[in-house]
C-alpha cells in the first residue's frame, strides 16, 4: 500500500506525471503474545492483542458469556 508516482517522458516536452494511492484490503491478522494469564483475585491484568488489517478494525474483549470487558 502507499502512494506511487507514474512519470511518462519521450523527449518531447513536457513530461507528464500522475500520482495514485494504492490500498490493499485484507482480512485481520491477530497476534496475542500471552494466551494464558493468571493473577491473584482483585489485582489488575493487562490483556494484549495486536491486530493488522485494512480497513481499520474495531477491537474489543468479551468474556465467555459475551459480556464486554471494556467499553
Amino acid at each position: 500500500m502507499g502512494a506511487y508516482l507514474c512519470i511518462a517522458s519521450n523527449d518531447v516536452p513536457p513530461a507528464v506525471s500522475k500520482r495514485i494511492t494504492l490500498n490493499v484490503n485484507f482480512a485481520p491478522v491477530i497476534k496475542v503474545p500471552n494466551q494464558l494469564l493468571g493473577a491473584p483475585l482483585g489485582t489488575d491484568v493487562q490483556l494484549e492483542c495486536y491486530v493488522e488489517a485494512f480497513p481499520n478494525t474495531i477491537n474489543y474483549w468479551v468474556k465467555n458469556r459475551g459480556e464486554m470487558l471494556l467499553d
Side-chain angles (χ1 to χ4, degrees), residues 8-32:
S9 174
N10 63 357
D11 294 329
V12 178
V16 281
S17 63
K18 182 74 174 180
R19 182 180 184 267
I20 64 160
T21 301
L22 175 67
N23 291 322
V24 178
N25 295 342
F26 59 95
V29 176
I30 299 175
K31 294 180 183 173
V32 180

Side-chain angles (χ1 to χ4, degrees), residues 52-70:
E52 184 179 4
F54 191 86
N56 286 334
T57 60
I58 297 171
N59 306 317
Y60 54 93
W61 292 92
V62 293
K63 289 185 179 181
N64 293 339
R65 296 185 184 127
E67 178 187 347
M68 188 181 297
L69 295 178
L70 301 173

Side-chain angles (χ1 to χ4, degrees), residues 35-54:
Q35 295 187 23
L36 180 61
L37 296 173
L41 284 174
T43 61
D44 292 337
V45 175
Q46 183 173 336
L47 303 174
E48 293 180 298
C49 177
Y50 300 99
V51 179
E52 184 179 4
F54 191 86

